[in-house]
Amino acid sequence: MRGTARWAAAIAAFFLLGAGPADDGRWLAGGYSFSHENGGFRIRGIAGSGTKDDPVVLTQELYSASSVVLVIREVAPPPKAPNAARHAGTRLYLRLETVNASALAWIEFAYELQETRGLPSTYGDGLSFDQRQTERGTISSDAFFEHNRDFEPHDRLLFTDGKVDPDETATFSFLVTDLTPVATFYLVQDPRIPFS
């Protein structure tokens, strides 16, 4: 009986730490589930609590140069940051390790947040790439040297001045905040290819 309890605890820890997907295909980390349910890419791994010192690190493969949607759902209250009293709402630090599994080079990469699938997030809904700019240095990439942030009429982040060839991996880091948190939101990921 004691061995069975240890085995059950090991399996539970495996899923809670984000080592693999849950039975329904969602990957768990930092109080959120992450899903590739809309297709076009595949999550390969996840870890982290979503804080600045321990961001959620999601490893994924994108199969084409078309946009794909990462579905993010809150499954438990996220961990409180040490300065949580100063920052209301959601604060989710993300690092996406993205493999270009297509046959095309990417010359830019864009992200867009949505509270309602298919509708851009507006300034007034509170969901953004830290629109209040409470911290500096939260946006970076190892493959692109420039980025632009737009807050109106949508919340977008565009990485430029770089390239990701087929089978290469690019890392993107940023902070997602939501002053009026919702249970489910969407991260549209859009690799850009050269035009001839």
Side-chain angles (χ1 to χ4, degrees), residues 12-25:
F14 178 81
F15 287 115
L16 290 174
L17 293 175
D23 289 342
D24 60 3

Side-chain angles (χ1 to χ4, degrees), residues 121-133:
S121 171
T122 63
Y123 187 86
D125 68 13
L127 178 66
S128 73
F129 297 105
D130 191 23
Q131 69 189 21
R132 291 176 48 205
Q133 297 185 19

Side-chain angles (χ1 to χ4, degrees), residues 1-12:
M1 186 70 146
R2 205 167 166 188
T4 304
R6 282 189 192 149
W7 178 249
I11 290 173

Side-chain angles (χ1 to χ4, degrees), residues 155-175:
D155 287 299
R156 289 188 181 153
L157 184 57
L158 175 64
F159 289 91
T160 60
D161 190 18
K163 184 175 78 157
V164 184
D165 286 321
D167 299 321
E168 289 185 345
T169 300
T171 300
F172 303 92
S173 297
F174 45 83
L175 169 61

Side-chain angles (χ1 to χ4, degrees), residues 142-162:
D142 64 353
F144 297 94
F145 301 103
E146 299 289 333
H147 68 268
N148 296 308
R149 228 178 349 187
D150 291 325
F151 299 124
E152 268 305 313
H154 41 63
D155 287 299
R156 289 188 181 153
L157 184 57
L158 175 64
F159 289 91
T160 60
D161 190 18

Side-chain angles (χ1 to χ4, degrees), residues 64-144:
S64 75
S66 299
S67 63
V68 297
V69 179
L70 176 65
V71 182
I72 304 171
R73 296 178 176 94
E74 185 175 314
V75 294
K80 293 288 185 194
N83 53 3
R86 288 185 346 184
H87 304 299
T90 298
R91 296 181 65 76
L92 176 61
Y93 293 84
L94 281 174
R95 185 166 71 229
L96 302 178
E97 297 177 348
T98 304
V99 178
N100 181 352
S102 75
L104 303 167
W106 301 336
I107 59 167
E108 294 179 341
F109 206 102
Y111 291 96
E112 181 179 302
L113 288 166
Q114 299 178 350
E115 278 195 356
T116 302
R117 179 74 182 96
L119 297 177
S121 171
T122 63
Y123 187 86
D125 68 13
L127 178 66
S128 73
F129 297 105
D130 191 23
Q131 69 189 21
R132 291 176 48 205
Q133 297 185 19
T134 56
E135 291 186 43
R136 294 188 179 274
T138 58
I139 300 172
S140 66
S141 173
D142 64 353
F144 297 94

